[in-house]
Amino acid sequence: MSAVSPSTARDALPTSFLPLAGSPPVAWRVAPAPVAYAEALAEMDRLAEAIAAGRADETVWLLEHPPLYTAGTSARREDLVDPDRFPVFETGRGGQFTYHGPGQRVAYVMLDLKRRAPDVRRYVAALEEWLIRTLAAFNVRGERREDRVGVWVRHPTKAGEGEDKIAALGIRVRRWVTMHGVSLNVEPELAHFEGIVPCGVREHGVTSLVELGLPVTMEDVDLALRREFEVLFGPTRTEG
């Protein structure tokens, strides 16, 4: 399948990203406790290499991290407002600075684009659609913005065009296997974002499902994430 022109708006791209017929289900893993960032990166590298070599199935890994900041390949040093607040990790994903911590669901998505469509822009659009559909399960309207990646919500307590980011994306592709993925704010400590300029966007803030008045649990979100993932990306199987 040919790549879509970079000038095409992401909301105009196909959002289904189903695998080739006969592909095995995607392994679905949920970490029972917070995972150290370095440990997560090592495991993601191992899995991505195995998937590329045909030794492992595609995998989605849901987890939480201890409080930390990560710097993507486009991170600007001036956006690290408080460098001593939490550990800062350089990472190979695209994007700028972001925060990870308890109460935020991180999904590391390791898919083989050769089994689907070798089109990174379409893959990003599919990830955004996954988050938008997940938010819709809780009656939250998530929206794309063509000038910035991620999923945004209009904040009910802010006048006019006030909006906040509720979910972030950052990916890397190696040998056509995707790495890193998405993060969705369920109930993180929003003050922790103050140590950075999240994703380099100064004009808008961040929010979470609970801050929007929705008393959802991480388990509620995980169920919605899996259901909507299967609609867009195909069947999954539980892996311990």
Side-chain angles (χ1 to χ4, degrees):
M1 183 176 296
S2 61
V4 176
S5 166
S7 63
T8 304
R10 294 195 308 279
D11 60 4
L13 294 169
T15 52
S16 64
F17 216 72
L18 298 173
L20 297 172
S23 297
V26 175
W28 191 267
R29 299 172 56 178
V30 182
V35 180
Y37 193 71
E39 177 185 338
L41 287 185
E43 176 66 359
M44 184 165 47
D45 281 342
R46 184 192 70 79
L47 277 169
E49 185 66 26
I51 292 166
R55 299 192 307 271
D57 291 339
E58 297 175 302
T59 300
V60 173
W61 187 18
L62 303 186
L63 51 79
E64 294 173 83
H65 284 304
L68 58 92
Y69 298 130
T70 66
T73 55
S74 301
R76 298 174 297 194
R77 186 54 52 185
E78 62 268 25
D79 289 343
L80 183 59
V81 179
D82 187 354
D84 298 322
R85 189 165 191 173
F86 297 125
V88 180
F89 293 88
E90 302 286 338
T91 179
R93 64 160 174 81
Q96 303 185 41
F97 279 105
T98 194
Y99 165 78
H100 294 313
Q104 181 191 73
R105 176 52 86 207
V106 173
Y108 289 132
V109 184
M110 289 152 278
L111 301 182
D112 187 348
L113 299 190
K114 298 191 304 296
R115 305 181 196 178
R116 297 170 181 269
D119 185 334
V120 175
R121 189 172 176 81
R122 180 178 164 191
Y123 172 63
V124 170
L127 290 180
E128 289 176 331
E129 182 68 15
W130 178 30
L131 292 165
I132 288 168
R133 286 171 177 255
T134 299
L135 290 169
F138 304 102
N139 296 313
V140 174
R141 181 179 177 180
E143 300 178 349
R144 293 180 177 87
R145 294 291 178 264
E146 279 304 310
D147 61 338
R148 51 190 191 271
V149 175
V151 177
W152 302 78
V153 295
R154 299 185 185 277
H155 204 293
T157 65
K158 294 185 176 180
E161 296 299 315
E163 60 184 23
D164 287 333
K165 192 170 194 175
I166 196 167
L169 289 81
I171 69 166
R172 181 181 181 184
V173 179
R174 188 170 66 199
R175 297 176 61 190
W176 288 111
V177 174
T178 65
M179 301 171 66
H180 300 276
V182 304
S183 60
L184 175 60
N185 295 335
V186 181
E187 192 179 8
E189 176 53 68
L190 295 179
H192 289 178
F193 285 88
E194 295 171 2
I196 57 172
V197 178
C199 301
V201 178
R202 300 178 182 273
E203 299 81 7
H204 304 286
V206 293
T207 190
S208 68
L209 286 169
V210 169
E211 201 259 347
L212 290 172
L214 298 164
V216 301
T217 67
M218 195 66 77
E219 290 74 19
D220 295 331
V221 170
D222 288 351
L223 287 171
L225 280 168
R226 187 168 187 174
R227 182 178 64 247
E228 300 305 329
F229 180 91
E230 291 187 333
V231 171
L232 297 169
F233 295 92
T236 64
R237 63 172 177 81
T238 300
E239 182 172 288

